[in-house]
Amino acid sequence: MSGGIEVLLGANGGYLIGFIFLSYFIKDLSKISVIGTTIAYFTCIYIPGLIGLAIYFYFNQGILLSISQLLMMGLIPFIIGDIIKIIAASSLAKVFKI
C-alpha cells in the first residue's frame, strides 16, 4: 500500500490536486448550468491531472508524451462516464436546491 507523497508524485497526483481545486469551487458550481458545471469540472480536474501525468511519464519513464497521447491516456477514456456523473449530480443539486 502506498500513500502520502508517493501518491502525489505518481500518475494520479495531478488528478488528486485537481479535486482539491474543484472542492474550492463546488458551492458555486451548483448555481450554474449543467454545461457550465461540466466545463468547470473538466477544467479543474483534467488540466492538473494531465499535467501531472505528463510530468510523471517524463521523470519516471523518460518519455515525453504528445498532446494526443496524453489525451488518449488521461482524458478520452473517461469523458462519457464523467459527463453522466456530472449530469446526475447537477440534476440532484437542482432538485434538492443545494
Side-chain angles (χ1 to χ4, degrees), residues 21-61:
F21 289 142
L22 184 65
S23 69
Y24 180 75
F25 297 110
I26 201 74
K27 182 74 171 169
D28 298 326
L29 290 179
S30 65
K31 298 174 186 172
I32 60 177
S33 68
V34 173
I35 293 171
T37 303
T38 305
I39 292 168
Y41 174 86
F42 279 104
T43 302
C44 288
I45 299 295
Y46 283 105
I47 288 177
L50 293 173
I51 291 170
L53 187 62
I55 291 170
Y56 171 78
F57 268 92
Y58 181 72
F59 285 113
N60 288 337
Q61 307 284 327

Side-chain angles (χ1 to χ4, degrees), residues 2-21:
S2 64
I5 197 75
E6 293 174 6
V7 173
L8 288 178
L9 295 177
N12 296 329
Y15 297 102
L16 295 174
I17 292 169
F19 277 107
I20 294 170
F21 289 142

Side-chain angles (χ1 to χ4, degrees), residues 46-84:
Y46 283 105
I47 288 177
L50 293 173
I51 291 170
L53 187 62
I55 291 170
Y56 171 78
F57 268 92
Y58 181 72
F59 285 113
N60 288 337
Q61 307 284 327
I63 301 170
L64 186 58
L65 297 173
S66 69
I67 298 293
S68 62
Q69 290 174 322
L70 200 56
L71 293 175
M72 288 303 293
M73 290 176 64
L75 176 69
I76 303 298
F78 307 105
I79 288 177
I80 303 255
D82 283 346
I83 289 174
I84 291 169

